[in-house]
Structures are given as C-alpha cells and as structure tokens.
Amino acid sequence: MAGRETDEDDNNSMESSGEDERRESEWEEAGCSKAKRAKSRKRKKNTSSAGGSESEGREALPVFFRTQLESLEVEAGGTATLRCEVTKSGAVVIWKKGDRVVESSDKYQVKQEGAVVELVIYKLRGADSGEYTCDTGHQKSSAVLTVQEREVVIIKGLESLAVHEEDDALFECHVSHDNAPLVQWTLQGIPLQKNEMNEIGAEGRVHTLILRSVTQQDSGTVAFSVGPHASSAQLTVRAAGVLFTGWVQSQEAEEGGSVTLRCELSVPGATVDWRKGEVALTPGSKHQMKVEGTKAKLVINSLTLRDSGDYTCDTGDQQTTASVVVKAPPPAVIWRKGSVVLSRGEKHSVQEKGTERVLVIHKLTPEDAGEYTCDTGKSTSTATLTVKEHVRITVGLLDMTITTGEDACFECSLSHMGVSEGEWWMDSNLLQNNDLNQISSEGHRQLLVLKMVTPDESGTVAYVVDGETTTANLLVLDKKGRGRMAKGGARSPLSIGSARSPPPSAQETLRAAAGQPTFFLQELENLEAEEGDSMTPAL
C-alpha cells in the first residue's frame, strides 16, 4: 500500500509539474508577469495541501487575446469581418458596437473556430460605421469600422416598352456598382413590392423588373431609383387587334392657333401612340392626347410653322397618317363707313374666322345706311348697306259687338306715320277701299269702317303690315239682340305673321378673306336690312 501511495504521489507531482509548464507558456504568450504566475502557483499549492479534490483545486484560467482586432475600411453594400484570437479555444466572448451588444441576426453573424472569433457584418451602410469591441470578460479588444459611402449611378437607363395585354413586360437598368443599396421600382408613381406579379431581381450591376400578365390599366410610367438617381420609361399596353374604323384627316390651321386630329378605333379605350414624322410625341401643354371610348384625338396647341408635317396615330396593329399645314395669319384689316374708321364697341364688333373677316353692326337705324369698306392695306372692298324702316303695330284691334245696320269701326296704331301698304282682311277676304269698306289713315292710326253690317258679316277682322298682324272679333246681333256674344272690350293679341320672311337671325353677312399675298377671295355685297336688327357685313 505504501508503495502504491508513493507511486501515486510521484505521478501526481509529475502531472502538476507538466500542467504548470503549460500554463506558464500560455501566460507568457498573453503577456502575464512572473509574479502573477507565482501567485497562481502558490494558490494551487495551498489548495492542494488543504486536501481538496483536483477539480476543486484548479481555478478557471483568464482568457486573453493572442491577436487584437484591427480597424477596417469597407465600401457600403459590402461585408466586413472583424477577427481576433484568444488564448482559450471555445472561450465565450461578447461583441459590442459602442455600448450595444451585438448578436447573430440577418445583419450580424458571430463565428468561432477554435480560438479564433469573428464578427461578420453584412450589407454595410454608413450607420454601421463605429467602434466594435470583443470582450472575453478579462480583456477587451476594440477596432474602428469605417463604411465608405459610394455613389451608385445609372449607367444604362430604362427603355420604353409597348406590349399587348396578358404579355409580360421586362425592364432593365444598369448601375455602376454591385449590391447597390436603396433601390426602388415604381409604376405610375406607386412603389412595387416583390411578388408573383412583380418579379424584382438583380444580377451584379443589372437590375430587372418583370411585370407579369399586364393589362391596359398598367400603362404608365415605370421608374427605377437608386439613391438620388432615377430613370423612367413608358409602358404601353395595347389591346390585341386594335384597328381603325375612322381615319385621321389632313387639316390646315393658322399660326398661333390649335388643330385637332381625330380617328376612331375598333376597341374602346385602346392605347395609341402619336408621332410627328419619326418622332414620338409625349403629352404636355403642346400636345394633348386623349382616348374617349373608341375616339382618339391629338390636340396641337400654339401652332408654329414648324408644326407643319405628317402626323401618325399607331395602335401597334395599324397606322393612320395625315398632314397638318400651318399658315401665317393674314394681316389685320380696317373697316370704314365712308371715310370714318370704325372701332369696336357696342355699335360695331369685328370677328375673325380663319381667313374670314366679319363686321357686325348692331341695332340698325336709318343713319347706319351707307358705304362700308374693308381695307387690308393693299386692297379694298366696298359695299352699300340700305336700312329699311320696319313698321310695327303698337296698339292692336279691339273685339266689337254691334246691332245689325250699324257701322263697325276698327282702329290700330303703328310705329310710323303715313303707312299705306297695310292690308285689312275679313276672315279670308282681302278688303278693298269702297263705300262699304272705308279704309283710311291718320298719323299713326289705321282705320276701317264697315258700313251697315249684318249678322252674316260676323267674323274675324285683321290688319297686316310688314309681317305683323293684329286681329279682332266682330259680332253682329239682329234686332232682337240675338247672336253669340263676343268678349267686348278685350284687346286682341299682336302676332308676327309670315307674310314676309325676316333676314336669317336678323343678320346679313358681309365677308372678306385675306390670304398671302392679301387679296379678296370674295368681294363685299350690297345689303338691305331692317331698322332695329343687327347686320353682319362680312368679307
């Protein structure tokens, strides 16, 4: 027994000596002083002599760094790896960014192989810059990570695309760097998310967007942005087999005006493209494009001579083309009455309709009669206006009831004195001036006396002049007072008859056309109009 005990003591002594040598080597590598090693050995001997077990006698060794962290500079969008080595394999360490503990996640990965520990930081951004620390519990090692922000620019922008419904639309954009941050796709200004309808991808520096099974409602602007840089293009989704049922027509217009080109489509709401020559037109204040139902139109505003040319409407399946000719406007003209230059106002207004020049004279009076001239500066055209006075009935006839054998007297008043062209009627019979029908006039008054009337002459009496008519009822009673009573004392209404057709819209037109060079395509014509009307001499 004594021998086994001696052997065991010798073995224990040899193991203790080997362990001390290994610990001394590790501590020398970690930079520990001999004094610290001596204290450690002393504590171990004291513990052993106390009779404790071997596991109780050994203390956990402190963990130090064999290699320290090193500061890094890495471009944004890349990956950074902070690495150091500790004195003990499998030692537990804590990583921090500033005062915040960092653990494994989508952003960070904490790795350890033997005594080598690493912190991997993915998808670097400017906010990832800062001081990072590895802490063993006994010692710390720190380093600074600097993320260099890089400016990603667009090398090749998007290109406009036209497809049919249910097709896929592919857009590509090329940028200057891989792993570009802050990338966004939009359609019609709405940010797109990656899903089964919107396939968003990137391979190296090429970013792609695939819009699956597009519809006409998807037509619009597609945009790609990276940081402050952006590129956009138009997506045009056409209905299949869109044909023209009405073709665009050639037109002429004056410089400074506008012109509208129209055509009709076989499919309501179909998308079309407009071109001038080979140049595609885009909507704006100059060119306004619209599709309403099956009708498509292009409005060209603020015309200049440069807008002349061929314009094409294209459905993708068919095209229609027409010409627009823009002409310089004719010079201004001067209107005169005799030698007096006319100016615009309540009495005279001037209208311009293409090459047509129109003078309107309002509320004609006899004084407006005379010669009117349109003067272009190089030539003139003159015509005479005759104003015919218009007679109006101002006081109408009254119904009358009398007894047989008496005289029936009818009277009305006119706007003019001495009028002799009026007519008196009894029902459908035109009355002549004679002993039984006494017709006369006194100033504004027109008189009819029917002598010694009989009941058979009951009926309607009318006076007609210059297209106006007034009527009254005549009731003749027999001696016994029999007969249908009229509405005695009632004034009959005035009515404008159709004995004469008035001028169209109470206006006559006098038109002058000026071209380049200026000459009259149509001369002024003499006119006759009625007093009180408005008259339009036109060239």
Side-chain angles (χ1 to χ4, degrees):
M1 290 290 293
R4 283 195 298 272
E5 290 176 357
T6 301
D7 291 340
E8 288 177 1
D9 290 341
D10 290 341
N11 290 337
N12 290 338
S13 176
M14 291 176 64
E15 290 177 2
S16 175
S17 175
E19 184 177 342
D20 289 343
E21 289 177 359
R22 180 176 55 79
R23 184 183 304 168
E24 183 174 353
S25 174
E26 291 178 355
W27 281 27
E28 285 178 353
E29 292 176 356
C32 296
S33 66
K34 292 182 178 181
K36 290 182 179 179
R37 290 199 299 273
K39 289 181 180 180
S40 178
R41 283 198 298 268
K42 183 177 181 181
R43 284 197 299 271
K44 174 171 175 56
K45 289 179 179 179
N46 291 339
T47 302
S48 299
S49 63
S53 65
E54 183 177 357
S55 60
E56 292 175 350
R58 294 181 181 176
E59 290 184 357
L61 297 177
V63 180
F64 298 99
F65 291 98
R66 283 198 175 97
T67 59
Q68 302 286 328
L69 293 176
E70 294 182 0
S71 295
L72 296 176
E73 289 188 5
V74 185
E75 278 192 353
T79 300
T81 302
L82 297 172
R83 182 183 294 106
C84 58
E85 187 177 359
V86 296
T87 57
K88 182 178 179 181
S89 296
V92 177
V93 299
I94 297 174
W95 288 92
K96 293 182 179 180
K97 180 181 183 294
D99 296 328
R100 179 173 59 88
V101 175
V102 174
E103 297 178 343
S104 290
S105 63
D106 292 340
K107 179 70 176 177
Y108 304 101
Q109 183 181 7
V110 176
K111 300 171 64 176
Q112 185 168 1
E113 293 184 5
V116 177
V117 292
E118 293 179 346
L119 173 64
V120 183
I121 309 168
Y122 298 101
K123 299 178 181 178
L124 290 173
R125 299 177 300 171
D128 294 322
S129 296
E131 185 178 61
Y132 289 80
T133 301
C134 181
D135 188 351
T136 68
H138 300 91
Q139 193 177 17
K140 298 179 180 179
S141 179
S142 297
V144 175
L145 171 62
T146 301
V147 178
Q148 297 174 338
E149 293 285 1
R150 58 183 179 179
E151 183 179 11
V152 180
V153 297
I154 296 174
I155 303 301
K156 181 182 178 183
L158 302 178
E159 295 181 356
S160 294
L161 185 63
V163 296
H164 288 93
E165 283 188 305
E166 299 304 321
D167 287 346
D168 294 340
L170 169 64
F171 292 89
E172 283 189 1
C173 194
H174 296 232
V175 298
S176 58
H177 293 75
D178 295 341
N179 302 316
L182 305 176
V183 169
Q184 180 66 63
W185 289 91
T186 62
L187 174 60
Q188 301 174 358
I190 300 174
L192 298 179
Q193 303 297 326
K194 185 175 183 179
N195 54 40
E196 66 276 6
M197 298 302 294
N198 310 318
E199 293 189 12
I200 298 174
E203 185 174 345
R205 302 178 182 183
V206 179
H207 292 255
T208 57
L209 168 66
I210 302 176
L211 302 175
R212 297 292 187 188
S213 302
V214 294
T215 66
Q216 287 189 288
Q217 286 71 32
D218 294 321
S219 295
T221 302
V222 175
F224 171 86
S225 64
V226 52
H229 304 286
S231 175
S232 62
Q234 292 298 313
L235 170 61
T236 303
V237 182
R238 298 191 178 97
V242 180
L243 304 177
F244 290 101
T245 58
W247 306 93
V248 65
Q249 302 296 318
S250 297
Q251 296 194 43
E252 293 184 359
E254 282 188 8
E255 187 177 14
S258 63
V259 67
T260 301
L261 300 176
R262 294 181 175 87
C263 55
E264 194 158 353
L265 311 170
S266 61
V267 178
T271 300
V272 299
D273 294 326
W274 289 93
R275 296 192 305 273
K276 179 179 183 289
E278 299 299 324
V279 179
L281 302 179
T282 56
S285 57
K286 179 68 175 179
H287 301 105
Q288 296 176 345
M289 305 169 194
K290 200 168 187 179
V291 176
E292 294 178 342
T294 59
K295 300 183 184 300
K297 68 178 181 180
L298 167 67
V299 181
I300 309 170
N301 296 308
S302 303
L303 287 171
T304 66
L305 298 178
R306 290 191 299 255
D307 292 319
S308 296
D310 291 336
Y311 289 80
T312 299
C313 183
D314 188 350
T315 68
D317 302 296
Q318 197 174 32
Q319 299 178 359
T320 175
T321 301
S323 297
V324 171
V325 177
V326 181
K327 295 183 176 180
V333 299
I334 298 175
W335 288 93
R336 292 194 303 271
K337 180 178 183 285
S339 60
V340 179
V341 176
L342 303 178
S343 58
R344 302 188 186 198
E346 293 183 1
K347 185 63 177 177
H348 304 101
S349 60
V350 178
Q351 301 173 0
E352 298 180 357
K353 302 175 181 178
T355 59
E356 212 173 53
R357 297 296 179 266
V358 179
L359 170 66
V360 182
I361 307 169
H362 302 278
K363 298 179 181 179
L364 288 174
T365 65
E367 290 75 18
D368 292 319
E371 283 190 344
Y372 287 82
T373 300
C374 181
D375 189 347
T376 67
K378 294 184 179 180
S379 59
T380 61
S381 181
T382 302
T384 299
L385 170 64
T386 302
V387 179
K388 181 182 177 183
E389 296 187 19
H390 178 62
V391 180
R392 292 178 174 80
I393 300 173
T394 58
V395 179
L397 300 175
L398 293 175
D399 291 338
M400 182 170 291
T401 300
I402 61 174
T403 303
T404 183
E406 295 179 348
D407 295 341
C409 298
F410 292 91
E411 178 183 331
C412 64
S413 296
L414 306 180
S415 59
H416 293 69
M417 298 175 62
V419 175
S420 60
E421 62 267 23
E423 296 175 343
W424 287 95
W425 293 74
M426 172 66 79
D427 291 331
S428 60
N429 299 312
L430 177 64
L431 301 180
Q432 303 296 326
N433 188 19
N434 53 40
D435 291 340
L436 293 177
N437 308 318
Q438 297 179 2
I439 299 172
S440 62
S441 64
E442 296 177 2
H444 292 276
R445 299 164 62 209
Q446 297 292 316
L447 304 170
L448 169 65
V449 179
L450 302 176
K451 304 293 287 186
M452 302 177 64
V453 293
T454 66
D456 294 338
E457 293 177 293
S458 295
T460 302
V461 176
Y463 178 78
V464 180
V465 62
D466 211 4
E468 294 196 5
T469 302
T470 177
T471 62
N473 295 314
L474 171 61
L475 178 61
V476 182
L477 305 177
D478 61 16
K479 294 293 185 179
K480 295 181 180 181
R482 291 176 299 185
R484 181 173 296 176
M485 297 297 293
K487 297 179 180 178
R491 188 177 300 276
S492 64
L494 298 177
S495 61
I496 304 297
S498 59
R500 179 180 60 82
S501 297
S505 304
Q507 295 182 351
E508 295 292 345
T509 55
L510 183 64
R511 295 183 171 79
Q516 295 291 329
T518 303
F519 60 91
F520 288 103
L521 300 176
Q522 177 182 340
E523 295 287 343
L524 290 174
E525 297 177 356
N526 296 333
L527 293 176
E528 185 177 290
E530 290 188 352
E531 180 184 8
D533 290 338
S534 293
M535 190 279 303
T536 310
L539 279 176

